[in-house]
Amino acid sequence: MMETVVGIIAGVLQYLPGVLVFYVPALFGTVLWRERGEGYRLKAGLWFVLGFGSIVAVHIMLRSVSAEQVAALVGISLLQIAVALALARLTVYRLAD
């Protein structure tokens, strides 16, 4: 039982650095998204696309060899991006209120 719990915690902690890396563009994009005006939405979209895209591209260049590895990396990255966006949204709305 204890080995299972430790294994789950270790598995979650293994993906924490990726979430933290994705948190930076998520935070900037979320802050800009909250601002008023169409120009801010465009800037936020650029932060999301360029920030997340460049991080995923570097991961793919450094770690992937086969199509299966690329698909797995993109899938894991999407989950990490979702968590980073949730944390950024929580942070921005807590600080703004």
Side-chain angles (χ1 to χ4, degrees), residues 60-92:
I60 289 172
M61 288 188 325
L62 294 177
R63 294 186 179 179
S64 300
V65 176
S66 66
E68 293 85 16
Q69 288 178 333
V70 170
L73 183 65
V74 169
I76 290 170
S77 295
L78 289 174
L79 289 174
Q80 290 172 328
I81 288 169
V83 171
L85 283 170
L87 290 173
R89 182 177 173 147
L90 180 68
T91 304
V92 168

Side-chain angles (χ1 to χ4, degrees), residues 40-58:
Y40 288 106
R41 299 276 170 126
L42 179 63
K43 290 177 187 177
L46 287 174
W47 264 104
F48 292 140
V49 170
L50 294 177
F52 297 151
S54 62
I55 293 168
V56 172
V58 168

Side-chain angles (χ1 to χ4, degrees), residues 30-45:
T30 304
V31 168
L32 287 172
W33 190 269
R34 187 167 167 91
E35 294 293 325
R36 304 280 186 237
E38 186 63 33
Y40 288 106
R41 299 276 170 126
L42 179 63
K43 290 177 187 177

